[in-house]
Amino acid sequence: MSENTTPPVAKKISKTIEKHGDKRNDDYFWLNDRENPEVIDYLNKENKYYEQMTAHTKDFQTQLFEEMKGRIKEDDSSVPYFFNGYWYITRFETGKNYPIYARKKENLTAKEEILFDCNVMAIGHSYFQLGGMSVSQDNKLASFAVDVVGRRIYTIQIKNLETGEILKDKIENVTGSCAWSNDNKTLFYTKQDEQTLRADKVLKHKLGEVSSKDVLVYFEKDDTFNVDVSKEKSRKYLVITSASTLTTEFRTLLADNPDGEFKIFQKRVRGLEYDISHYGDSFYILTNKDKATNFKLMKTPENATEKENWKDVIPHREDVLLEEIEIFKEYLVVGERSNGLNKIRIMPWNGKEEYYLPFESETYTANISTNPDFDTKVLRYSYQSMATPSSVIDFNMDTKEKEVKKEQQVLGGKFDKKNYTEERVWATAKDGTKIPISMVYRKDLKKDGKNPLLLYAYGSYGVTMDAYFSSTRLSLLDRGFVYAIAHIRGGEDMGRPWYDNGKLLKKKNTFTDFIDCSKFVIAEKYTSPEHLYAEGGSAGGLLMGAIINMAPELYNGVIAQVPFVDVVTTMLDDTIPLTTGEYDEWGNPNEKKFYDYMKSYSPYDNVVAQKYPNMYVSTGLHDSQVQYWEPAKWVAKLRTVKTDNNILLLDTNMDAGHGGASGRFEALKELAKEFSFLLDLEGIDK
């Protein structure tokens, strides 16, 4: 990398933030204003510095991009699924960035009907995202939502699928979530607060009316809750979901009666989580009721939905996490997790013997897939491992025969899964807890401590990071990298207690688990500190910020994507999108015990004069989840405090939000930047 380029220096404007008698000085608070030309100028200077520092890798980035793109089947399509008389297909065409949504009536030999060609819709936009697509019960209309900025603020419109006409109905500044009633002319949708972007309202729109006449159906007053609207698989009920991190509440309405009133299913009780699925004359409820930490399945009559009427169907088990259910006319399918691995359980309603689908690998992921058809004996599920491309499989629950409908193609003629070793190993955390690590590498690898290793983790919100296949990852593996996922606490990889022990006042377990996993792969000679790299995004970016403050000597380089690093300041500002809903995850800093604990690990607040690893930090100007100014402030502070000459890069996408660039190939360009950063540090340039 270039040695003669001078990094930009952000000016300092001292601002004191006081809470609980504690004063914090923030020299870079002024960056919190995307309308300020000086802020934009600073971000542009950082981008220019990034370009100068990586100019020598541009050809290599292009090579990596073409290499990764070359493994992807460009003229690809999804496995069709059947719903309400039509087969639905999503497909891509060669050279095009966006999907085409289509359907065929009754059978797959019928004429294709294009619903939406996102390539045409995206013309003239630097960012494009289609969301909220919902087809009316009579199959004649489709609502759809478009975001052209990247802040997840959508505009809903309606298309006449018979004529192709876009109707005059236009609903702006909404979340994109919507559901049709069974009368084919009433659409329910959710709207967010304009400042916090919290989804707090459900409205009802009548076809042909101006949106200003839409009726407010429900308003969520509690600013720690978000709302959503959907339709049950049985199509009998419309459902409003109110959810916070630890509490849920549902309201139901017969889909045949859109002008009726939604009825509370079970009033919210702090700490009570439940999810509902309708079948016959009953609802099935996945819940943590009665201290069922790992959840259990219960059942209640549809006309008596309060929790006093719920009866156990699958009782709670200490060692098995109940994750999801899928209801069919003749079968109940249950997604479970034990010892960190997915299990799919088939339970016939007629009382015949139940069974589990057989899976053999130790680094696989198996999930219930798209199953909108209620009256079928065929379960669709997906399977992949770190060395096995993703497959979509149809399984006949009656005959137990399975058919692989599609296996992800890896083009280029060089990939053979036999060339790779995948394994699950266990690191010991400082409190004695065993932490699983899934990894994959080439079979000819020697454990001599000289291999570059990229260790990835997330570790928040109970999100499970399952072992998955990635064709882009081959660009690292085939150049000698080990790729590893640390299943640290804060996720739900080993059950719900795994999550509970990695949040709030136990959040530091997330960081120390990752550090202990890093020490393990070094001790076992998979790698060494000179060749160990760490990566995480969003809350995983917080993880990156914490570990480099706590143990910078373990890593040669770190990638932090849209990192949540200014924890205290953000959590004290309830005008920022998502903040109040995060209290159950991080704690409410208006309470001193949470304030003190957050401050003790917040990456921005704990930057000190020490050596830091080489770093590549990315963000998006329009990010609605982790505001761009968090990584910008963090990098500015690191530049003035750190004592090393290691590389520090801030790369801001001026057109995108939290998810990065839109379009499948634009995203590959961002990945090529990350990979070239790592490979350049290893002296690999081809």
Side-chain angles (χ1 to χ4, degrees):
M1 297 195 180
S2 173
E3 300 291 333
N4 303 317
T5 306
T6 304
V9 177
K11 71 177 181 181
K12 294 182 179 181
I13 301 175
S14 182
K15 180 179 175 63
T16 301
I17 304 172
E18 185 172 354
K19 190 72 177 179
H20 305 299
D22 178 54
K23 293 181 179 180
R24 292 180 304 124
N25 183 60
D26 188 349
D27 288 330
Y28 304 106
F29 188 88
W30 68 274
L31 288 169
N32 175 352
D33 181 6
R34 76 167 52 78
E35 303 302 321
N36 182 346
E38 285 189 88
V39 172
I40 299 301
D41 181 60
Y42 171 69
L43 296 176
N44 283 328
K45 283 178 178 174
E46 283 284 4
N47 281 350
K48 183 179 179 182
Y49 177 70
Y50 166 78
E51 294 294 335
Q52 292 171 331
M53 289 292 288
T54 59
H56 66 288
T57 70
K58 287 302 177 197
D59 289 344
F60 190 31
Q61 286 183 37
T62 301
Q63 179 190 334
L64 287 167
F65 169 76
E66 294 295 344
E67 179 179 293
M68 292 186 285
K69 183 181 175 185
R71 297 192 194 102
I72 297 171
K73 190 174 188 296
E74 289 200 48
D75 57 339
D76 203 5
S77 63
S78 65
V79 179
Y81 66 85
F82 190 74
F83 177 66
N84 196 22
Y86 283 83
W87 289 94
Y88 285 85
I89 305 155
T90 305
R91 61 180 177 83
F92 289 90
E93 292 183 352
T94 302
K96 295 184 178 179
N97 238 329
Y98 294 95
I100 296 168
Y101 295 95
R103 67 179 184 178
K104 296 183 178 184
K105 190 172 184 178
E106 294 178 0
N107 62 69
L108 289 168
T109 60
K111 182 182 177 182
E112 181 185 70
E113 178 185 337
I114 292 179
L115 305 176
F116 301 101
D117 184 342
C118 295
N119 299 286
V120 175
M121 299 168 74
I123 291 172
H125 301 293
S126 58
Y127 179 93
F128 179 85
Q129 188 69 45
L130 181 75
M133 189 173 71
S134 180
V135 178
S136 61
Q137 184 77 9
D138 62 5
N139 288 309
K140 294 179 180 180
L141 301 169
S143 61
F144 64 100
V146 169
D147 172 16
V148 293
V149 175
R151 275 184 72 75
R152 303 186 185 186
I153 300 173
Y154 289 84
T155 297
I156 292 175
Q157 292 181 270
I158 297 166
K159 183 176 183 178
N160 183 321
L161 297 179
E162 293 181 315
T163 66
E165 175 193 6
I166 304 296
L167 305 187
K168 291 180 180 179
D169 305 63
K170 199 169 194 177
I171 311 168
E172 297 179 319
N173 299 317
V174 294
T175 68
S177 168
C178 54
W180 288 96
S181 70
N182 289 345
D183 69 353
N184 305 304
K185 60 184 181 183
T186 307
L187 187 71
F188 291 84
Y189 64 92
T190 55
K191 194 174 179 72
Q192 65 272 71
D193 180 276
E194 289 185 9
Q195 186 168 20
T196 66
L197 300 188
R198 177 178 72 91
D200 60 359
K201 293 177 277 293
V202 178
L203 292 97
K204 178 170 61 177
H205 176 78
K206 293 289 187 180
L207 206 61
E209 296 276 4
V210 292
S211 61
S212 59
K213 291 187 177 180
D214 291 353
V215 176
L216 179 66
V217 173
Y218 177 67
F219 174 67
E220 178 54 67
K221 298 175 184 175
D222 190 327
D223 63 6
T224 67
F225 280 72
N226 285 274
V227 297
D228 189 36
V229 64
S230 60
K231 198 175 191 178
E232 280 293 302
K233 183 176 177 177
S234 68
R235 299 184 232 168
K236 187 175 180 179
Y237 288 95
L238 292 159
V239 177
I240 293 174
T241 307
S242 287
S244 71
T245 311
L246 296 175
T247 308
T248 47
E249 180 180 74
F250 288 83
R251 286 169 168 77
T252 61
L253 174 67
L254 288 169
D256 287 338
N257 183 28
D259 294 327
E261 287 196 18
F262 280 84
K263 176 194 170 206
I264 292 180
F265 188 92
Q266 159 58 44
K267 192 174 181 180
R268 68 188 64 176
V269 176
R270 173 74 178 171
L272 175 65
E273 297 176 66
Y274 69 94
D275 196 6
I276 62 175
S277 298
H278 177 255
Y279 172 56
D281 58 0
S282 303
F283 279 97
Y284 286 77
I285 307 132
L286 199 60
T287 181
N288 66 346
K289 182 178 178 287
D290 307 321
K291 298 181 180 179
T293 308
N294 270 333
F295 290 77
K296 62 179 178 176
L297 187 64
M298 305 185 80
K299 178 183 179 181
T300 196
E302 62 181 342
N303 58 359
T305 60
E306 294 78 13
K307 61 182 170 59
E308 292 74 24
N309 303 297
W310 301 359
K311 305 292 183 187
D312 278 10
V313 176
I314 300 176
H316 177 251
R317 290 161 289 174
E318 296 289 342
D319 58 343
V320 178
L321 174 66
L322 216 54
E323 290 191 313
E324 59 179 334
I325 66 167
E326 188 73 66
I327 291 178
F328 297 90
K329 185 178 180 181
E330 296 181 29
Y331 294 90
L332 171 66
V333 179
V334 183
E336 301 179 347
R337 181 180 298 274
S338 60
N339 197 31
L341 297 174
N342 305 115
K343 304 287 172 64
I344 297 179
R345 181 180 181 184
I346 313 294
M347 304 175 69
W349 291 119
N350 63 9
K352 286 184 180 179
E353 188 176 352
E354 63 178 70
Y355 58 93
Y356 286 86
L357 298 186
F359 302 118
E360 296 169 4
S361 171
E362 268 217 332
T363 60
Y364 72 87
T365 300
N367 294 117
I368 298 170
S369 187
T370 306
N371 292 276
D373 194 9
F374 177 72
D375 189 6
T376 178
K377 295 178 181 179
V378 177
L379 165 72
R380 178 163 292 174
Y381 71 95
S382 61
Y383 176 87
Q384 60 186 308
S385 75
M386 294 190 82
T388 306
S390 175
S391 295
V392 176
I393 300 164
D394 278 359
F395 179 80
N396 188 307
M397 295 178 280
D398 197 10
T399 65
K400 299 184 182 178
E401 295 174 318
K402 76 174 185 179
E403 179 186 0
V404 178
K405 302 297 290 185
K406 179 182 180 180
E407 180 173 287
Q408 176 188 350
Q409 284 184 263
V410 182
L411 303 183
K414 296 179 181 178
F415 172 72
D416 183 346
K417 66 181 179 182
K418 295 176 184 175
N419 293 334
Y420 305 90
T421 296
E422 49 187 339
E423 62 176 327
R424 187 164 66 149
V425 295
W426 299 79
T428 303
K430 66 176 187 176
D431 63 0
T433 303
K434 297 291 185 182
I435 313 295
I437 306 171
S438 299
M439 56 172 62
V440 61
Y441 49 85
R442 286 191 65 89
K443 279 190 172 171
D444 54 8
L445 183 117
K446 295 177 182 176
K447 294 180 188 174
D448 57 6
K450 297 178 181 177
N451 307 298
L453 186 151
L454 179 58
L455 186 64
Y456 175 83
Y458 185 70
S460 289
Y461 302 106
V463 173
T464 298
M465 295 307 303
D466 283 318
Y468 66 98
F469 179 81
S470 165
S471 68
T472 56
R473 187 193 296 146
L474 298 172
S475 291
L476 292 180
L477 299 183
D478 291 345
R479 290 176 172 86
F481 266 76
V482 179
Y483 185 87
I485 301 171
H487 304 284
I488 54 180
R489 283 174 285 187
E492 216 165 59
D493 307 57
M494 299 291 286
R496 187 55 178 258
W498 205 248
Y499 171 39
D500 293 338
N501 286 311
K503 67 176 183 180
L504 297 173
L505 298 176
K506 296 180 180 178
K507 187 64 213 170
K508 288 183 185 176
N509 283 338
T510 302
F511 316 138
T512 54
D513 281 359
F514 190 91
I515 290 169
D516 289 330
C517 287
S518 302
K519 291 176 178 176
F520 174 85
V521 295
I522 291 169
E524 294 297 312
K525 295 201 177 327
Y526 287 99
T527 191
S528 61
E530 294 77 26
H531 301 286
L532 178 57
Y533 302 91
E535 178 186 14
S538 195
L542 162 60
L543 169 66
M544 295 299 102
I547 62 156
I548 61 169
N549 283 335
M550 296 166 71
E553 71 283 355
L554 295 178
Y555 310 96
N556 187 40
V558 168
I559 294 174
Q561 305 146 326
V562 292
F564 172 40
V565 284
D566 191 12
V567 183
V568 181
T569 306
T570 290
M571 293 303 296
L572 280 171
D573 186 351
D574 60 13
T575 68
I576 293 175
L578 308 179
T579 292
T580 52
E582 306 277 292
Y583 290 161
D584 287 333
E585 180 73 22
W586 313 102
N588 182 349
N590 293 301
E591 296 179 40
K592 190 174 187 303
K593 65 176 180 178
F594 290 116
Y595 174 90
D596 291 342
Y597 189 74
M598 273 182 209
K599 187 185 173 187
S600 73
Y601 68 73
S602 172
Y604 183 64
D605 290 292
N606 287 281
V607 170
V608 294
Q610 64 178 7
K611 291 182 178 180
Y612 282 91
N614 297 288
M615 293 175 61
Y616 173 68
V617 182
S618 60
T619 187
L621 181 64
H622 300 291
D623 196 327
S624 62
Q625 288 184 258
V626 178
Q627 307 293 329
Y628 73 89
W629 59 76
E630 293 201 36
K633 288 166 56 176
W634 183 45
V635 167
K637 188 174 182 180
L638 279 165
R639 288 214 189 283
T640 61
V641 173
K642 71 190 189 84
T643 60
D644 58 82
N645 293 316
N646 288 333
I647 295 151
L648 175 58
L649 302 172
L650 174 65
D651 184 15
T652 304
N653 187 325
M654 305 300 277
D655 296 316
H658 198 66
S662 63
R664 56 179 178 161
F665 299 134
E666 289 305 308
L668 289 182
K669 291 177 183 176
E670 295 187 346
L671 200 55
K673 289 180 174 183
E674 295 177 3
F675 284 5
S676 67
F677 169 76
L678 298 172
L679 292 164
D680 192 41
L681 289 171
E682 284 292 313
I684 299 170
D685 59 7
K686 60 182 179 180

